[in-house]
Amino acid sequence: ARLDKHMAGLCSVDFPVAVVLPAGGSGERTGLLTPKQFCTFLNRPLISYTIQTFERVPWIQSIVVVVAKESLDLMMDIIHRFHHRNVLVVHGGSTRHRSIFNGVRALSEGEDGTARVKPKVVIIHDAVRPFVEEDFLLKITMAAKEQGAAGAIRPLVSTVIATTLEGYLDHSLERTKYRASEMPQGFIYDVIYQAYQRCSESDFEFGTECLHLALQYCGTNAKLIEGPPTLWKVTYKRDLAAAESIVKETLSQSACVVTGGSAQATELANALQRSMSALDMEVDVISDLIGDNAKSLSKEWNFIQVSVNSSCFCEVGRILGALEEADRALLHPVVIIWVYLNVSEDGSSASEPTGGEPAAMMELATGAKLGNILVYGIQLHHSKEATLWGRSVEKVAQMSCALIRDRSPALTGQLLQA
Amino acid sequence: ARLDKHMAGLCSVDFPVAVVLPAGGSGERTGLLTPKQFCTFLNRPLISYTIQTFERVPWIQSIVVVVAKESLDLMMDIIHRFHHRNVLVVHGGSTRHRSIFNGVRALSEGEDGTARVKPKVVIIHDAVRPFVEEDFLLKITMAAKEQGAAGAIRPLVSTVIATTLEGYLDHSLERTKYRASEMPQGFIYDVIYQAYQRCSESDFEFGTECLHLALQYCGTNAKLIEGPPTLWKVTYKRDLAAAESIVKETLSQSACVVTGGSAQATELANALQRSMSALDMEVDVISDLIGDNAKSLSKEWNFIQVSVNSSCFCEVGRILGALEEADRALLHPVVIIWVYLNVSEDGSSASEPTGGEPAAMMELATGAKLGNILVYGIQLHHSKEATLWGRSVEKVAQMSCALIRDRSPALTGQLLQA
Ligand SMILES: [Mg+2]
Ligand SMILES: [Mg+2]
């Protein structure tokens, strides 16, 4: 389905599209010292999530990020660290409109004044709205191409009221007649460029609404399209927590259990699949990561390696090596859970991975964490008693789901008991 | 400072105040099946957090919650489970205004039509805005008393635009002239009561703004007061994550380390205090929970018990018993971390709490979890080598902060290694 949408986008967008991300805000409303676009969750600044969103859209050719002069180095470092491509960094102006105009202008003129091939349509989006979806970008882009301008709207969450100069209620607006103007907005390049060339100093200084400039200076009536709630803007500190939880949820929808092929490991894996699916996690059981199964390495954020009676966790090392080689954890932390199943006929604990194993595991996990891979261990004892066994499996499932969802760096390397 | 504010509130509010919490919404916007006021985080429904906020205000006499008929049993169960007091549950009407009127009317008339002593001022607040603060409620209440009506406002987050019938931009409003109308709102009882008695069927059916009714039917111009961002309304699923993170942060600001008085435990506790304070957690070190120190039991949400070379965790059992007796974990989960310090002169591991201890600890933790107390263990080995020792202490600090902040029920009973 995703591929279909991509194809639909590719076919209909037969003209060049660029995006401008104004990211010069100071973020005074978050209650944090760092401007919100540079605030970090899961080891990565918010703006990098937004850039990634646009990089994934195959029909968008270039991304211009507009940042304050003092953030230029930081921004270049982010682009380098997270391997962003086709991103042009431009320094911002003293107001939102001046910053956007700098970004728009950079799409047709080089810094030295040389001409560039300008896009047909430019999308303007906020760096602090990372969750915009491709199909909505497509709607805005196509409407902009047809109408000259298009913008996202949302229903008003609160009643809007006019106040008297003395701070009393004057009147309230009829909610159904009004909408909140949101981002993204799209423009035919020449429309937004001309609007900025024609607008006044006062517009540059006090205005905030690009759609308004297109109307006033180019006579372009923007098409308004209702967007989904995911367009929402990270504004306050609590929004960062919400954004983190959305990313974590996206990363925690499924896991891949690798069994090594033994009957006992496969039995446990199948039981885990049932238990974890009851906890809303989709689980794929595979015997190894070779051949066709290697696809999981580039698809999945969570791996569970089941080992039976082998106190060596070389299988975990193998997954780790493959993930590191593929740079898989560049953008999001990957979780590997080593489930160690202890089977002893006589009930002794001879094959428990005590002694040197916990220390070796901690060492492995400490190294992996530097590469943004989080390794945890869970040990369980096989039991022939169905109730006991069921309880242990259930416990492994619950702990695995919790480890995957929490992604806590402080707990890596621990060998938990089920 | 808190007490001062309480006293200020008590002195100035020398008239009866009640609150009406409309909670009849169906929550279709959260993307969840449960109406959002009944959605649960940290084991407790959102509406219970809101009720608690009002219960803490000494000058508010009674709380009326208005719920849909199908939620009456659920609401009574919540009140019972979380020991809420002075809460009257009333069933809602078919629209927001009808529900609020039912709540307002219940303050002066019993179900059987008998008269009750009506309050002077009634505050109307949403069940899904749990973080409103006492000093802001005081401002609204005093302004309502003086002006007849008062309401919270916030600056507009987005530009508000008027749309044409065909879905194009008509014009954008000048942002500085308008405000978002939020909750709480306050009214002299007779003003809101009369407004509802006089208003039309159409108002009841389609209106949403109480301030508007007070203006239209009683000629009362509401005083508008800008509120803090904490007034925000839990609307979407992501807002529940944000609310949970706010509550978790509040619960995770400090911890109490209990040493038992031994020199080695005290040394470790002091080192933990330094390390955890660098991780933004304030730590109190005390030797026991007897006498004056027992105050911590009613103040603190997080306890760290340090034990030296004693494989028994009876000290943890003692904290647990005291917390359970005081019903301390009724409203929020309490965390106890057992830090087991292993000191052996010869480097042997003779006194490690292996064998039966992990199983016994799991059992204790499983029982405690039923009472909403989360018990975790961390084991560390003493080292005379300063670098090694420092690293272990740092690890205990990091894991303790993570366990306290995550409050993960799935990981209780585990003995982690530092
Ligand atoms: Mg704009
Ligand atoms: Mg209202």
Side-chain angles (χ1 to χ4, degrees), chain B residues 220-281:
Chain B
T220 303
N221 268 79
K223 176 72 182 168
L224 303 172
I225 306 177
E226 181 155 333
T230 44
L231 291 182
W232 126 94
K233 185 174 175 174
V234 174
T235 308
Y236 301 102
K237 194 178 161 192
R238 62 169 189 263
D239 293 315
L240 283 169
E244 175 169 349
S245 96
I246 290 170
V247 172
K248 278 186 171 173
E249 193 177 295
T250 308
L251 298 179
S252 307
Q253 284 166 346
S254 62
C256 173
V257 182
V258 186
T259 64
S262 92
Q264 280 171 315
T266 307
E267 187 208 329
L268 173 56
N270 291 334
L272 278 179
Q273 187 177 43
R274 284 189 296 274
S275 290
M276 290 176 75
S277 131
L279 298 168
D280 282 328
M281 193 160 310

Side-chain angles (χ1 to χ4, degrees), chain B residues 291-364:
Chain B
D292 223 32
N293 288 342
K295 279 188 306 192
S296 298
L297 288 165
S298 60
K299 252 177 38 191
E300 191 50 70
W301 299 104
N302 311 291
F303 297 88
I304 299 175
Q305 170 70 53
V306 180
S307 301
V308 183
N309 272 3
S310 142
S311 72
C312 135
F313 38 78
C314 44
E315 295 108 330
V316 171
R318 238 176 276 139
I319 301 182
L320 196 54
L323 291 169
E324 281 173 348
E325 204 176 313
D327 227 351
R328 175 64 178 143
L330 178 70
L331 297 181
H332 299 294
V334 174
V335 169
I336 306 179
I337 300 173
W338 181 49
V339 174
Y340 176 80
L341 174 60
N342 193 275
V343 185
S344 61
E345 292 304 314
D346 56 353
S348 79
S349 55
S351 53
E352 272 197 47
T354 48
E357 280 304 328
M361 192 182 153
M362 182 60 79
E363 204 184 307
L364 180 94

